PDB file of all heavy atoms in Angstrom:
ATOM      1  N   PHE A   1     -14.746  10.420  97.450  1.00 92.00           N
ATOM      2  CA  PHE A   1     -13.834  10.294  98.575  1.00 92.00           C
ATOM      3  C   PHE A   1     -12.733   9.317  98.195  1.00 92.00           C
ATOM      4  O   PHE A   1     -12.926   8.280  97.551  1.00 92.00           O
ATOM      5  CB  PHE A   1     -14.588   9.588  99.809  1.00 92.00           C
ATOM      6  CG  PHE A   1     -15.766  10.410 100.312  1.00 92.00           C
ATOM      7  CD1 PHE A   1     -16.940  10.464  99.652  1.00 92.00           C
ATOM      8  CD2 PHE A   1     -15.583  11.125 101.509  1.00 92.00           C
ATOM      9  CE1 PHE A   1     -18.024  11.157 100.162  1.00 92.00           C
ATOM     10  CE2 PHE A   1     -16.564  11.851 102.056  1.00 92.00           C
ATOM     11  CZ  PHE A   1     -17.842  11.910 101.344  1.00 92.00           C
ATOM     12  N   SER A   2     -11.488   9.740  98.517  1.00 92.00           N
ATOM     13  CA  SER A   2     -10.345   8.855  98.372  1.00 92.00           C
ATOM     14  C   SER A   2     -10.204   7.931  99.589  1.00 92.00           C
ATOM     15  O   SER A   2     -10.268   8.434 100.698  1.00 92.00           O
ATOM     16  CB  SER A   2      -9.113   9.708  98.202  1.00 92.00           C
ATOM     17  OG  SER A   2      -7.872   8.926  98.112  1.00 92.00           O
ATOM     18  N   ARG A   3     -10.010   6.678  99.322  1.00 92.00           N
ATOM     19  CA  ARG A   3      -9.776   5.681 100.514  1.00 92.00           C
ATOM     20  C   ARG A   3      -8.507   4.940 100.262  1.00 92.00           C
ATOM     21  O   ARG A   3      -8.304   4.337  99.212  1.00 92.00           O
ATOM     22  CB  ARG A   3     -10.988   4.755 100.540  1.00 92.00           C
ATOM     23  CG  ARG A   3     -10.802   3.659 101.604  1.00 92.00           C
ATOM     24  CD  ARG A   3     -12.059   2.748 101.640  1.00 92.00           C
ATOM     25  NE  ARG A   3     -13.216   3.478 102.129  1.00 92.00           N
ATOM     26  CZ  ARG A   3     -14.410   2.950 102.149  1.00 92.00           C
ATOM     27  NH1 ARG A   3     -14.654   1.638 101.699  1.00 92.00           N
ATOM     28  NH2 ARG A   3     -15.429   3.624 102.630  1.00 92.00           N
ATOM     29  N   TRP A   4      -7.664   4.886 101.217  1.00 90.00           N
ATOM     30  CA  TRP A   4      -6.429   4.166 101.152  1.00 90.00           C
ATOM     31  C   TRP A   4      -6.447   2.833 101.956  1.00 90.00           C
ATOM     32  O   TRP A   4      -7.194   2.677 102.853  1.00 90.00           O
ATOM     33  CB  TRP A   4      -5.214   5.015 101.567  1.00 90.00           C
ATOM     34  CG  TRP A   4      -5.221   5.493 102.980  1.00 90.00           C
ATOM     35  CD1 TRP A   4      -5.788   6.644 103.482  1.00 90.00           C
ATOM     36  CD2 TRP A   4      -4.747   4.810 104.139  1.00 90.00           C
ATOM     37  NE1 TRP A   4      -5.618   6.706 104.816  1.00 90.00           N
ATOM     38  CE2 TRP A   4      -4.939   5.631 105.245  1.00 90.00           C
ATOM     39  CE3 TRP A   4      -4.046   3.590 104.344  1.00 90.00           C
ATOM     40  CZ2 TRP A   4      -4.547   5.285 106.582  1.00 90.00           C
ATOM     41  CZ3 TRP A   4      -3.643   3.242 105.645  1.00 90.00           C
ATOM     42  CH2 TRP A   4      -3.946   4.064 106.713  1.00 90.00           C
ATOM     43  N   HIS A   5      -5.680   1.890 101.503  1.00 89.00           N
ATOM     44  CA  HIS A   5      -5.632   0.542 102.134  1.00 89.00           C
ATOM     45  C   HIS A   5      -4.104   0.222 102.258  1.00 89.00           C
ATOM     46  O   HIS A   5      -3.305   0.604 101.368  1.00 89.00           O
ATOM     47  CB  HIS A   5      -6.367  -0.512 101.290  1.00 89.00           C
ATOM     48  CG  HIS A   5      -7.749  -0.221 101.017  1.00 89.00           C
ATOM     49  ND1 HIS A   5      -8.759  -0.711 101.876  1.00 89.00           N
ATOM     50  CD2 HIS A   5      -8.383   0.427  99.984  1.00 89.00           C
ATOM     51  CE1 HIS A   5      -9.907  -0.369 101.396  1.00 89.00           C
ATOM     52  NE2 HIS A   5      -9.705   0.341 100.249  1.00 89.00           N
ATOM     53  N   GLU A   6      -3.822  -0.616 103.272  1.00 90.00           N
ATOM     54  CA  GLU A   6      -2.445  -1.142 103.329  1.00 90.00           C
ATOM     55  C   GLU A   6      -2.562  -2.567 104.020  1.00 90.00           C
ATOM     56  O   GLU A   6      -3.483  -2.772 104.854  1.00 90.00           O
ATOM     57  CB  GLU A   6      -1.527  -0.251 104.089  1.00 90.00           C
ATOM     58  CG  GLU A   6      -1.918   0.067 105.602  1.00 90.00           C
ATOM     59  CD  GLU A   6      -0.877   0.928 106.226  1.00 90.00           C
ATOM     60  OE1 GLU A   6       0.158   1.208 105.611  1.00 90.00           O
ATOM     61  OE2 GLU A   6      -1.084   1.384 107.341  1.00 90.00           O
ATOM     62  N   GLU A   7      -1.615  -3.376 103.720  1.00 90.00           N
ATOM     63  CA  GLU A   7      -1.573  -4.732 104.407  1.00 90.00           C
ATOM     64  C   GLU A   7      -0.178  -5.323 104.250  1.00 90.00           C
ATOM     65  O   GLU A   7       0.592  -4.834 103.406  1.00 90.00           O
ATOM     66  CB  GLU A   7      -2.585  -5.709 103.706  1.00 90.00           C
ATOM     67  CG  GLU A   7      -2.372  -6.009 102.261  1.00 90.00           C
ATOM     68  CD  GLU A   7      -3.284  -6.943 101.633  1.00 90.00           C
ATOM     69  OE1 GLU A   7      -4.493  -6.911 102.086  1.00 90.00           O
ATOM     70  OE2 GLU A   7      -2.879  -7.723 100.729  1.00 90.00           O
ATOM     71  N   GLY A   8       0.112  -6.254 105.083  1.00 89.00           N
ATOM     72  CA  GLY A   8       1.436  -6.875 105.045  1.00 89.00           C
ATOM     73  C   GLY A   8       2.538  -6.030 105.668  1.00 89.00           C
ATOM     74  O   GLY A   8       2.367  -4.879 105.989  1.00 89.00           O
ATOM     75  N   GLU A   9       3.782  -6.590 105.648  1.00 88.00           N
ATOM     76  CA  GLU A   9       4.862  -5.897 106.183  1.00 88.00           C
ATOM     77  C   GLU A   9       6.127  -6.290 105.316  1.00 88.00           C
ATOM     78  O   GLU A   9       6.122  -7.287 104.605  1.00 88.00           O
ATOM     79  CB  GLU A   9       5.207  -6.322 107.674  1.00 88.00           C
ATOM     80  CG  GLU A   9       4.050  -5.967 108.636  1.00 88.00           C
ATOM     81  CD  GLU A   9       4.422  -6.399 110.033  1.00 88.00           C
ATOM     82  OE1 GLU A   9       5.488  -7.127 110.268  1.00 88.00           O
ATOM     83  OE2 GLU A   9       3.618  -6.039 110.985  1.00 88.00           O
ATOM     84  N   GLY A  10       7.165  -5.420 105.433  1.00 87.00           N
ATOM     85  CA  GLY A  10       8.402  -5.708 104.737  1.00 87.00           C
ATOM     86  C   GLY A  10       8.178  -5.877 103.241  1.00 87.00           C
ATOM     87  O   GLY A  10       7.503  -5.109 102.549  1.00 87.00           O
ATOM     88  N   VAL A  11       8.744  -6.960 102.633  1.00 86.00           N
ATOM     89  CA  VAL A  11       8.640  -7.209 101.240  1.00 86.00           C
ATOM     90  C   VAL A  11       7.225  -7.486 100.821  1.00 86.00           C
ATOM     91  O   VAL A  11       6.871  -7.429  99.634  1.00 86.00           O
ATOM     92  CB  VAL A  11       9.576  -8.363 100.797  1.00 86.00           C
ATOM     93  CG1 VAL A  11      11.063  -7.952 101.008  1.00 86.00           C
ATOM     94  CG2 VAL A  11       9.266  -9.605 101.538  1.00 86.00           C
ATOM     95  N   ASN A  12       6.362  -7.858 101.765  1.00 89.00           N
ATOM     96  CA  ASN A  12       4.939  -8.229 101.469  1.00 89.00           C
ATOM     97  C   ASN A  12       4.067  -7.003 101.652  1.00 89.00           C
ATOM     98  O   ASN A  12       2.793  -7.119 101.565  1.00 89.00           O
ATOM     99  CB  ASN A  12       4.497  -9.337 102.379  1.00 89.00           C
ATOM    100  CG  ASN A  12       5.255 -10.604 102.100  1.00 89.00           C
ATOM    101  OD1 ASN A  12       5.494 -10.961 100.900  1.00 89.00           O
ATOM    102  ND2 ASN A  12       5.665 -11.327 103.126  1.00 89.00           N
ATOM    103  N   TYR A  13       4.635  -5.830 102.033  1.00 92.00           N
ATOM    104  CA  TYR A  13       3.759  -4.666 102.188  1.00 92.00           C
ATOM    105  C   TYR A  13       3.158  -4.241 100.892  1.00 92.00           C
ATOM    106  O   TYR A  13       3.781  -4.203  99.849  1.00 92.00           O
ATOM    107  CB  TYR A  13       4.657  -3.514 102.731  1.00 92.00           C
ATOM    108  CG  TYR A  13       3.832  -2.255 102.948  1.00 92.00           C
ATOM    109  CD1 TYR A  13       3.018  -2.072 104.058  1.00 92.00           C
ATOM    110  CD2 TYR A  13       3.959  -1.207 102.079  1.00 92.00           C
ATOM    111  CE1 TYR A  13       2.286  -0.839 104.221  1.00 92.00           C
ATOM    112  CE2 TYR A  13       3.269   0.006 102.183  1.00 92.00           C
ATOM    113  CZ  TYR A  13       2.425   0.130 103.307  1.00 92.00           C
ATOM    114  OH  TYR A  13       1.735   1.292 103.460  1.00 92.00           O
ATOM    115  N   LYS A  14       1.884  -3.847 101.028  1.00 91.00           N
ATOM    116  CA  LYS A  14       1.112  -3.405  99.873  1.00 91.00           C
ATOM    117  C   LYS A  14       0.221  -2.200 100.256  1.00 91.00           C
ATOM    118  O   LYS A  14      -0.411  -2.239 101.304  1.00 91.00           O
ATOM    119  CB  LYS A  14       0.235  -4.611  99.396  1.00 91.00           C
ATOM    120  CG  LYS A  14      -0.542  -4.251  98.099  1.00 91.00           C
ATOM    121  CD  LYS A  14      -1.392  -5.409  97.646  1.00 91.00           C
ATOM    122  CE  LYS A  14      -2.239  -5.161  96.416  1.00 91.00           C
ATOM    123  NZ  LYS A  14      -3.041  -6.271  96.018  1.00 91.00           N
ATOM    124  N   TYR A  15       0.285  -1.213  99.379  1.00 91.00           N
ATOM    125  CA  TYR A  15      -0.533   0.005  99.595  1.00 91.00           C
ATOM    126  C   TYR A  15      -1.346   0.275  98.267  1.00 91.00           C
ATOM    127  O   TYR A  15      -0.816   0.157  97.231  1.00 91.00           O
ATOM    128  CB  TYR A  15       0.319   1.123  99.994  1.00 91.00           C
ATOM    129  CG  TYR A  15      -0.427   2.516 100.043  1.00 91.00           C
ATOM    130  CD1 TYR A  15      -0.990   2.961 101.192  1.00 91.00           C
ATOM    131  CD2 TYR A  15      -0.548   3.285  98.865  1.00 91.00           C
ATOM    132  CE1 TYR A  15      -1.655   4.182 101.296  1.00 91.00           C
ATOM    133  CE2 TYR A  15      -1.237   4.524  98.967  1.00 91.00           C
ATOM    134  CZ  TYR A  15      -1.758   4.947 100.212  1.00 91.00           C
ATOM    135  OH  TYR A  15      -2.446   6.115 100.296  1.00 91.00           O
ATOM    136  N   TRP A  16      -2.608   0.604  98.413  1.00 89.00           N
ATOM    137  CA  TRP A  16      -3.368   1.010  97.231  1.00 89.00           C
ATOM    138  C   TRP A  16      -4.540   1.939  97.622  1.00 89.00           C
ATOM    139  O   TRP A  16      -4.904   1.996  98.802  1.00 89.00           O
ATOM    140  CB  TRP A  16      -3.923  -0.256  96.524  1.00 89.00           C
ATOM    141  CG  TRP A  16      -5.094  -1.003  97.190  1.00 89.00           C
ATOM    142  CD1 TRP A  16      -6.350  -0.893  96.883  1.00 89.00           C
ATOM    143  CD2 TRP A  16      -4.917  -1.988  98.225  1.00 89.00           C
ATOM    144  NE1 TRP A  16      -7.079  -1.744  97.661  1.00 89.00           N
ATOM    145  CE2 TRP A  16      -6.222  -2.401  98.491  1.00 89.00           C
ATOM    146  CE3 TRP A  16      -3.851  -2.521  98.940  1.00 89.00           C
ATOM    147  CZ2 TRP A  16      -6.521  -3.296  99.457  1.00 89.00           C
ATOM    148  CZ3 TRP A  16      -4.144  -3.456  99.946  1.00 89.00           C
ATOM    149  CH2 TRP A  16      -5.398  -3.863 100.178  1.00 89.00           C
ATOM    150  N   GLU A  17      -5.083   2.576  96.614  1.00 89.00           N
ATOM    151  CA  GLU A  17      -6.134   3.521  96.826  1.00 89.00           C
ATOM    152  C   GLU A  17      -7.337   3.228  95.927  1.00 89.00           C
ATOM    153  O   GLU A  17      -7.153   2.626  94.878  1.00 89.00           O
ATOM    154  CB  GLU A  17      -5.699   4.986  96.619  1.00 89.00           C
ATOM    155  CG  GLU A  17      -4.645   5.414  97.585  1.00 89.00           C
ATOM    156  CD  GLU A  17      -4.262   6.853  97.367  1.00 89.00           C
ATOM    157  OE1 GLU A  17      -4.910   7.584  96.561  1.00 89.00           O
ATOM    158  OE2 GLU A  17      -3.319   7.381  98.092  1.00 89.00           O
ATOM    159  N   GLU A  18      -8.488   3.639  96.388  1.00 93.00           N
ATOM    160  CA  GLU A  18      -9.713   3.527  95.533  1.00 93.00           C
ATOM    161  C   GLU A  18     -10.555   4.780  95.776  1.00 93.00           C
ATOM    162  O   GLU A  18     -10.295   5.539  96.675  1.00 93.00           O
ATOM    163  CB  GLU A  18     -10.522   2.274  95.808  1.00 93.00           C
ATOM    164  CG  GLU A  18     -10.949   2.143  97.303  1.00 93.00           C
ATOM    165  CD  GLU A  18     -11.718   0.817  97.573  1.00 93.00           C
ATOM    166  OE1 GLU A  18     -11.720  -0.032  96.664  1.00 93.00           O
ATOM    167  OE2 GLU A  18     -12.125   0.603  98.713  1.00 93.00           O
ATOM    168  N   THR A  19     -11.544   4.948  94.956  1.00 93.00           N
ATOM    169  CA  THR A  19     -12.396   6.136  95.080  1.00 93.00           C
ATOM    170  C   THR A  19     -13.830   5.677  95.413  1.00 93.00           C
ATOM    171  O   THR A  19     -14.397   4.766  94.725  1.00 93.00           O
ATOM    172  CB  THR A  19     -12.460   6.925  93.740  1.00 93.00           C
ATOM    173  OG1 THR A  19     -11.117   7.417  93.421  1.00 93.00           O
ATOM    174  CG2 THR A  19     -13.378   8.155  93.821  1.00 93.00           C
ATOM    175  N   ILE A  20     -14.384   6.240  96.493  1.00 92.00           N
ATOM    176  CA  ILE A  20     -15.716   5.906  96.913  1.00 92.00           C
ATOM    177  C   ILE A  20     -16.635   7.140  96.518  1.00 92.00           C
ATOM    178  O   ILE A  20     -16.329   8.237  96.804  1.00 92.00           O
ATOM    179  CB  ILE A  20     -15.768   5.782  98.448  1.00 92.00           C
ATOM    180  CG1 ILE A  20     -14.701   4.764  98.911  1.00 92.00           C
ATOM    181  CG2 ILE A  20     -17.159   5.355  98.897  1.00 92.00           C
ATOM    182  CD1 ILE A  20     -14.827   3.351  98.333  1.00 92.00           C
ATOM    183  N   VAL A  21     -17.721   6.750  95.820  1.00 93.00           N
ATOM    184  CA  VAL A  21     -18.638   7.753  95.385  1.00 93.00           C
ATOM    185  C   VAL A  21     -19.976   7.638  96.153  1.00 93.00           C
ATOM    186  O   VAL A  21     -20.515   6.494  96.260  1.00 93.00           O
ATOM    187  CB  VAL A  21     -18.974   7.682  93.883  1.00 93.00           C
ATOM    188  CG1 VAL A  21     -19.884   8.763  93.388  1.00 93.00           C
ATOM    189  CG2 VAL A  21     -17.680   7.591  93.019  1.00 93.00           C
ATOM    190  N   ARG A  22     -20.398   8.665  96.777  1.00 93.00           N
ATOM    191  CA  ARG A  22     -21.581   8.743  97.605  1.00 93.00           C
ATOM    192  C   ARG A  22     -22.525   9.710  97.044  1.00 93.00           C
ATOM    193  O   ARG A  22     -22.166  10.740  96.424  1.00 93.00           O
ATOM    194  CB  ARG A  22     -21.314   9.069  99.117  1.00 93.00           C
ATOM    195  CG  ARG A  22     -20.369   8.141  99.776  1.00 93.00           C
ATOM    196  CD  ARG A  22     -20.026   8.543 101.190  1.00 93.00           C
ATOM    197  NE  ARG A  22     -19.077   7.702 101.863  1.00 93.00           N
ATOM    198  CZ  ARG A  22     -19.357   6.671 102.606  1.00 93.00           C
ATOM    199  NH1 ARG A  22     -20.675   6.361 102.803  1.00 93.00           N
ATOM    200  NH2 ARG A  22     -18.443   5.927 103.192  1.00 93.00           N
ATOM    201  N   ASN A  23     -23.862   9.502  97.341  1.00 93.00           N
ATOM    202  CA  ASN A  23     -24.839  10.530  97.064  1.00 93.00           C
ATOM    203  C   ASN A  23     -24.943  11.523  98.259  1.00 93.00           C
ATOM    204  O   ASN A  23     -24.224  11.369  99.226  1.00 93.00           O
ATOM    205  CB  ASN A  23     -26.198   9.902  96.674  1.00 93.00           C
ATOM    206  CG  ASN A  23     -26.760   9.026  97.787  1.00 93.00           C
ATOM    207  OD1 ASN A  23     -26.383   9.262  98.988  1.00 93.00           O
ATOM    208  ND2 ASN A  23     -27.643   8.081  97.477  1.00 93.00           N
ATOM    209  N   LEU A  24     -25.841  12.518  98.196  1.00 91.00           N
ATOM    210  CA  LEU A  24     -25.923  13.522  99.246  1.00 91.00           C
ATOM    211  C   LEU A  24     -26.548  12.957 100.465  1.00 91.00           C
ATOM    212  O   LEU A  24     -26.484  13.586 101.573  1.00 91.00           O
ATOM    213  CB  LEU A  24     -26.705  14.763  98.702  1.00 91.00           C
ATOM    214  CG  LEU A  24     -26.104  15.496  97.627  1.00 91.00           C
ATOM    215  CD1 LEU A  24     -26.918  16.728  97.250  1.00 91.00           C
ATOM    216  CD2 LEU A  24     -24.640  15.933  97.909  1.00 91.00           C
ATOM    217  N   ALA A  25     -27.106  11.759 100.410  1.00 90.00           N
ATOM    218  CA  ALA A  25     -27.630  11.109 101.605  1.00 90.00           C
ATOM    219  C   ALA A  25     -26.575  10.284 102.373  1.00 90.00           C
ATOM    220  O   ALA A  25     -26.762   9.775 103.390  1.00 90.00           O
ATOM    221  CB  ALA A  25     -28.789  10.130 101.268  1.00 90.00           C
ATOM    222  N   GLY A  26     -25.392  10.172 101.720  1.00 89.00           N
ATOM    223  CA  GLY A  26     -24.263   9.461 102.321  1.00 89.00           C
ATOM    224  C   GLY A  26     -24.162   8.011 101.859  1.00 89.00           C
ATOM    225  O   GLY A  26     -23.292   7.294 102.207  1.00 89.00           O
ATOM    226  N   ASP A  27     -25.023   7.537 100.992  1.00 92.00           N
ATOM    227  CA  ASP A  27     -25.074   6.161 100.508  1.00 92.00           C
ATOM    228  C   ASP A  27     -23.969   5.963  99.444  1.00 92.00           C
ATOM    229  O   ASP A  27     -23.784   6.861  98.605  1.00 92.00           O
ATOM    230  CB  ASP A  27     -26.359   5.818  99.854  1.00 92.00           C
ATOM    231  CG  ASP A  27     -27.510   5.994 100.847  1.00 92.00           C
ATOM    232  OD1 ASP A  27     -27.382   5.667 102.000  1.00 92.00           O
ATOM    233  OD2 ASP A  27     -28.570   6.586 100.423  1.00 92.00           O
ATOM    234  N   VAL A  28     -23.207   4.835  99.604  1.00 93.00           N
ATOM    235  CA  VAL A  28     -22.214   4.547  98.604  1.00 93.00           C
ATOM    236  C   VAL A  28     -22.894   4.051  97.319  1.00 93.00           C
ATOM    237  O   VAL A  28     -23.640   3.108  97.365  1.00 93.00           O
ATOM    238  CB  VAL A  28     -21.232   3.452  99.099  1.00 93.00           C
ATOM    239  CG1 VAL A  28     -20.317   3.005  98.038  1.00 93.00           C
ATOM    240  CG2 VAL A  28     -20.450   3.942 100.306  1.00 93.00           C
ATOM    241  N   ILE A  29     -22.657   4.680  96.217  1.00 93.00           N
ATOM    242  CA  ILE A  29     -23.331   4.430  94.959  1.00 93.00           C
ATOM    243  C   ILE A  29     -22.313   3.729  93.988  1.00 93.00           C
ATOM    244  O   ILE A  29     -22.737   3.173  92.937  1.00 93.00           O
ATOM    245  CB  ILE A  29     -24.009   5.555  94.337  1.00 93.00           C
ATOM    246  CG1 ILE A  29     -23.092   6.726  94.022  1.00 93.00           C
ATOM    247  CG2 ILE A  29     -25.258   6.003  95.199  1.00 93.00           C
ATOM    248  CD1 ILE A  29     -23.645   7.940  93.390  1.00 93.00           C
ATOM    249  N   GLU A  30     -20.970   3.904  94.248  1.00 93.00           N
ATOM    250  CA  GLU A  30     -19.998   3.368  93.336  1.00 93.00           C
ATOM    251  C   GLU A  30     -18.632   3.249  94.063  1.00 93.00           C
ATOM    252  O   GLU A  30     -18.311   4.179  94.846  1.00 93.00           O
ATOM    253  CB  GLU A  30     -19.928   4.177  92.058  1.00 93.00           C
ATOM    254  CG  GLU A  30     -19.223   3.537  90.891  1.00 93.00           C
ATOM    255  CD  GLU A  30     -19.356   4.316  89.654  1.00 93.00           C
ATOM    256  OE1 GLU A  30     -19.920   5.503  89.680  1.00 93.00           O
ATOM    257  OE2 GLU A  30     -18.916   3.814  88.560  1.00 93.00           O
ATOM    258  N   THR A  31     -17.909   2.204  93.747  1.00 92.00           N
ATOM    259  CA  THR A  31     -16.560   2.112  94.250  1.00 92.00           C
ATOM    260  C   THR A  31     -15.647   1.914  93.036  1.00 92.00           C
ATOM    261  O   THR A  31     -15.843   0.936  92.271  1.00 92.00           O
ATOM    262  CB  THR A  31     -16.368   0.945  95.203  1.00 92.00           C
ATOM    263  OG1 THR A  31     -17.214   1.164  96.364  1.00 92.00           O
ATOM    264  CG2 THR A  31     -14.910   0.806  95.685  1.00 92.00           C
ATOM    265  N   LEU A  32     -14.669   2.763  92.843  1.00 92.00           N
ATOM    266  CA  LEU A  32     -13.847   2.845  91.665  1.00 92.00           C
ATOM    267  C   LEU A  32     -12.425   2.512  92.007  1.00 92.00           C
ATOM    268  O   LEU A  32     -11.867   3.062  92.910  1.00 92.00           O
ATOM    269  CB  LEU A  32     -13.880   4.129  90.883  1.00 92.00           C
ATOM    270  CG  LEU A  32     -15.285   4.630  90.453  1.00 92.00           C
ATOM    271  CD1 LEU A  32     -15.150   6.055  89.990  1.00 92.00           C
ATOM    272  CD2 LEU A  32     -15.867   3.779  89.356  1.00 92.00           C
ATOM    273  N   PRO A  33     -11.742   1.578  91.320  1.00 91.00           N
ATOM    274  CA  PRO A  33     -10.300   1.337  91.550  1.00 91.00           C
ATOM    275  C   PRO A  33      -9.548   2.561  91.124  1.00 91.00           C
ATOM    276  O   PRO A  33      -9.918   3.217  90.118  1.00 91.00           O
ATOM    277  CB  PRO A  33     -10.028   0.074  90.681  1.00 91.00           C
ATOM    278  CG  PRO A  33     -11.000   0.153  89.646  1.00 91.00           C
ATOM    279  CD  PRO A  33     -12.235   0.697  90.231  1.00 91.00           C
ATOM    280  N   GLY A  34      -8.465   2.954  91.813  1.00 87.00           N
ATOM    281  CA  GLY A  34      -7.660   4.014  91.396  1.00 87.00           C
ATOM    282  C   GLY A  34      -8.226   5.390  91.828  1.00 87.00           C
ATOM    283  O   GLY A  34      -8.893   5.457  92.824  1.00 87.00           O
ATOM    284  N   ASP A  35      -7.883   6.444  91.058  1.00 89.00           N
ATOM    285  CA  ASP A  35      -8.218   7.797  91.458  1.00 89.00           C
ATOM    286  C   ASP A  35      -8.990   8.472  90.406  1.00 89.00           C
ATOM    287  O   ASP A  35      -9.042   8.026  89.211  1.00 89.00           O
ATOM    288  CB  ASP A  35      -6.863   8.584  91.625  1.00 89.00           C
ATOM    289  CG  ASP A  35      -7.022   9.852  92.383  1.00 89.00           C
ATOM    290  OD1 ASP A  35      -8.116  10.048  92.921  1.00 89.00           O
ATOM    291  OD2 ASP A  35      -6.038  10.588  92.505  1.00 89.00           O
ATOM    292  N   VAL A  36      -9.708   9.538  90.816  1.00 88.00           N
ATOM    293  CA  VAL A  36     -10.472  10.392  89.987  1.00 88.00           C
ATOM    294  C   VAL A  36     -10.033  11.745  90.120  1.00 88.00           C
ATOM    295  O   VAL A  36      -9.787  12.266  91.233  1.00 88.00           O
ATOM    296  CB  VAL A  36     -12.052  10.282  90.337  1.00 88.00           C
ATOM    297  CG1 VAL A  36     -12.858  11.259  89.599  1.00 88.00           C
ATOM    298  CG2 VAL A  36     -12.530   8.843  89.987  1.00 88.00           C
ATOM    299  N   MET A  37      -9.977  12.518  88.998  1.00 83.00           N
ATOM    300  CA  MET A  37      -9.578  13.943  89.077  1.00 83.00           C
ATOM    301  C   MET A  37     -10.355  14.711  88.052  1.00 83.00           C
ATOM    302  O   MET A  37     -10.787  14.250  87.058  1.00 83.00           O
ATOM    303  CB  MET A  37      -8.119  14.128  88.885  1.00 83.00           C
ATOM    304  CG  MET A  37      -7.556  13.677  87.562  1.00 83.00           C
ATOM    305  SD  MET A  37      -5.750  13.783  87.481  1.00 83.00           S
ATOM    306  CE  MET A  37      -5.443  15.511  87.707  1.00 83.00           C
ATOM    307  N   GLN A  38     -10.653  15.985  88.453  1.00 79.00           N
ATOM    308  CA  GLN A  38     -11.321  16.916  87.530  1.00 79.00           C
ATOM    309  C   GLN A  38     -10.319  17.778  86.789  1.00 79.00           C
ATOM    310  O   GLN A  38      -9.471  18.355  87.350  1.00 79.00           O
ATOM    311  CB  GLN A  38     -12.329  17.802  88.363  1.00 79.00           C
ATOM    312  CG  GLN A  38     -13.255  18.617  87.454  1.00 79.00           C
ATOM    313  CD  GLN A  38     -14.387  19.222  88.262  1.00 79.00           C
ATOM    314  OE1 GLN A  38     -14.112  19.730  89.312  1.00 79.00           O
ATOM    315  NE2 GLN A  38     -15.498  19.222  87.707  1.00 79.00           N
TER     316      GLN A  38
END
């Protein structure tokens, strides 16, 4: 799953993404900075 974040406004605005990995039960098993692609 791709997850985006944002905080601040104007010159302090910040946006970033991370990748959430879940198993088939829905449990989060790993959180990775950045993106993953096949």
Side-chain angles (χ1 to χ4, degrees):
F1 297 78
S2 175
R3 176 179 292 174
W4 61 269
H5 302 269
E6 62 178 352
E7 63 181 30
E9 297 180 356
V11 295
N12 296 316
Y13 177 78
K14 184 180 179 182
Y15 174 91
W16 72 99
E17 296 184 5
E18 60 185 0
T19 300
I20 308 300
V21 186
R22 298 177 184 270
N23 59 24
L24 296 184
D27 304 316
V28 175
I29 57 176
E30 196 170 6
T31 299
L32 303 170
D35 198 8
V36 169
M37 61 187 298
Q38 190 168 39

